């Protein structure tokens, strides 16, 4: 067997997978049906639990388990301290956002759900892996995962972050290239833009530097991408956007249509939707917010709260312009098929490509 196939087989055996393809945990876009379809095809399902209180995490897991016996990972963002508020800037943002939807009010309390309680809910749910993004879990959580033998997959966007994650005890590194849809996982939010590294540079750099397996994420959406990532040193791949048009994903039809027609340059990195850097379709609002005359976004989670009325109205009307439409740079390769069929086709194609590799 070629080195990439041996490496991916070892990863699959260690984590109960049949094929080395993981569904990315996508907050707001990881329904149990999608995770179960991926797990049912031999991959690993995923759930982005960022916006889910403990009871919702419990219910998600229960529904997943009724649908699939395969492996699943749960995921949280590691929170930053609450940001300083800037009332004058927020007032300008409210005026700007009123052009795109109902005029928002500066939020009283933009705090997130209790992170400690979410961590406890993840541990109780006993997934096959727990992943992190935006930083490292606190020592208490790392010890609790270890005590329960739940592997920790830590997202890294740079070599330094990967090294820090391995030193903290991560069991695998998710190397998130800058092609990736959704938020950049940078540990330092303010540095996310200047440290955006593409997957072709990131995967071999991390694979050569750490001893734990590397899971490649970002812009992988066909068999060639899967094979290339494994050839570069990854043991498995994690796909987000590639599943968004699947029959189980259930995203807004306008978003799905936007993905279908998107060239790589039709996605862009923006802070305008949430306050943290993320890759989105260049919608009308995202383009307007990048105009030099537009007010600079507030930090996360204030900006996220400010854009909530616009996003909700756009979703209700089915208008892409004000929607939150995350997309990786390979969006156009996402297929409108059952997710299990996507997993199978990608792995069969990649395995054939790798069969003769050394
Ligand atoms: C809609 C969407 C939501 C996402 N939400 C999360 C999240 O909650 N947690 C996380 O670790 N990554 C999240 N990501 C990033 C993915 O984990 C992954 O890095 C990315 O999807 C890989 O790039 P690709 O979309 O080109 O496959 C999200 C991505 C998308 C597209």
């Amino acid at each position: 067997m070629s080195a990439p196939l041996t490496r991916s087989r070892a990863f699959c055996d260690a984590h109960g997978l049949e094929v080395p393809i993981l569904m990315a945990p996508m907050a707001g876009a990881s329904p149990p049906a999608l995770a179960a379809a991926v797990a049912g095809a031999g991959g690993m399902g995923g759930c982005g639990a960022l916006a889910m209180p403990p009871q919702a995490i419990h219910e998600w897991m229960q529904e997943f388990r009724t649908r699939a016996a395969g492996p699943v990972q749960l995921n949280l963002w590691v929170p930053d301290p609450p940001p300083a508020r800037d009332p004058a800037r927020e007032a300008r943002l409210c005026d700007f956002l009123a052009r795109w939807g109902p005029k928002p009010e500066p939020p009283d309390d933009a705090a997130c759900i209790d992170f400690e309680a979410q961590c406890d809910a993840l541990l109780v749910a006993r997934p096959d892996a727990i992943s992190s993004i935006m930083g490292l879990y606190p020592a208490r959580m790392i010890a609790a995962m270890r005590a329960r033998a739940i592997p920790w997959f830590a997202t890294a966007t740079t070599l330094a972050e990967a090294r820090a994650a391995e030193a903290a005890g991560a069991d695998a590194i998710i190397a998130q290239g800058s092609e990736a849809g959704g938020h950049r996982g940078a540990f330092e939010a303010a540095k996310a833009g200047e440290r955006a590294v593409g997957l072709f540079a990131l995967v071999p750099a991390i694979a050569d530097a750490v001893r734990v397996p590397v899971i490649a994420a970002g812009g992988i959406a066909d068999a060639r991408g899967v094979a290339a990532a494994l050839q570069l040193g990854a043991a498995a791949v994690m796909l987000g956007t590639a599943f968004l048009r699947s029959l189980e994903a259930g995203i807004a039809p306008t978003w799905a249509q936007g993905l279908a027609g998107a060239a790589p340059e039709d996605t862009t990195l923006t802070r305008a939707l949430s306050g943290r850097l993320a890759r989105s379709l260049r919608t009308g609002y995202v383009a307007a917010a990048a105009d030099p005359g537009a007010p600079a976004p507030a930090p996360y989670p204030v900006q996220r709260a400010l854009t909530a009325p616009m996003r909700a109205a756009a979703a209700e009307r089915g208008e892409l312009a004000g929607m939150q439409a995350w997309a990786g740079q390979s969006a156009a390769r996402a297929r409108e098929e059952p997710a299990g069929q996507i997993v199978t086709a990608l792995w069969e194609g990649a395995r054939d490509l790798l069969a003769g590799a050394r």
Side-chain angles (χ1 to χ4, degrees):
M1 239 195 312
S2 66
L5 287 175
T6 307
R7 199 164 41 236
S8 61
R9 176 47 47 205
F11 180 87
C12 288
D13 290 348
H15 297 289
L17 288 82
E18 286 158 35
V19 305
I21 295 181
L22 290 76
M23 169 193 156
M26 295 184 280
S30 32
L34 175 55
V38 172
M44 181 180 269
C47 173
L50 165 74
M52 293 163 67
Q55 180 61 20
I57 294 172
H58 171 71
E59 286 165 12
W60 190 99
M61 198 61 169
Q62 271 195 323
E63 189 177 342
F64 173 83
R65 291 286 185 221
T66 62
R67 288 170 177 266
V72 67
Q73 66 159 313
L74 300 181
N75 163 275
L76 285 175
W77 291 25
V78 178
D80 286 331
R85 302 290 297 265
D86 180 343
R89 189 212 289 191
E90 289 175 22
R92 284 197 300 280
L93 281 162
C94 289
D95 290 340
F96 180 71
L97 281 157
R99 294 189 223 156
W100 297 92
K103 185 171 177 175
E105 293 286 330
D108 284 340
D109 177 6
C112 301
I113 303 166
D114 181 352
F115 177 65
E116 296 289 321
Q118 287 180 306
C119 285
D120 288 343
L122 259 53
L123 294 167
V124 169
R126 283 200 169 268
D128 302 272
I130 289 178
S131 66
S132 55
I133 188 163
M134 319 292 189
L136 303 174
Y137 280 122
R140 182 192 78 86
M141 178 65 172
I142 296 171
M145 287 188 284
R146 178 134 303 168
R148 289 162 180 76
I150 303 174
W152 170 29
F153 298 169
T155 303
T157 62
T158 63
L159 181 56
E161 290 173 0
R163 286 195 164 116
E166 184 186 41
D171 298 290
I173 305 294
I174 301 165
Q176 190 200 40
S178 56
E179 302 89 338
H183 285 88
R184 305 290 313 132
F187 292 8
E188 282 181 72
K191 301 273 171 65
E194 68 191 65
R195 292 180 182 161
V197 182
L199 200 66
F200 254 64
L202 190 63
V203 168
I206 294 179
D208 287 354
V210 302
R211 286 201 294 269
V212 295
V214 176
I215 302 162
I220 302 173
D222 65 12
R224 292 169 298 178
V226 175
L230 297 186
Q231 187 70 51
L232 286 169
V237 295
M238 181 186 273
L239 280 54
T241 307
F243 290 122
L244 285 179
R245 293 185 64 217
S246 68
L247 306 188
E248 295 86 351
I251 64 169
T254 351
W255 180 9
Q257 282 153 21
L259 296 174
E265 63 272 25
D266 294 334
T267 74
T268 188
L269 287 170
T270 178
R271 294 183 196 273
L273 285 161
S274 74
R276 275 199 86 124
L277 199 67
R279 186 170 293 284
S280 152
L281 290 177
R282 191 179 289 98
T283 61
Y285 164 73
V286 166
D291 191 275
Y300 182 90
V302 178
Q303 183 77 6
R304 188 185 195 98
L306 289 172
T307 62
M310 170 190 73
R311 292 186 281 114
E316 198 165 311
R317 291 197 297 260
E319 284 174 11
L320 189 63
M323 247 182 220
Q324 177 171 281
W326 305 133
Q329 288 181 320
S330 297
R333 298 188 185 282
R335 302 190 205 174
E336 198 176 10
E337 288 175 12
Q341 201 169 304
I342 296 173
V343 171
T344 303
L346 259 57
W347 180 236
E348 285 179 356
R351 206 185 40 202
D352 288 351
L353 288 168
L354 290 167
R358 300 179 70 75

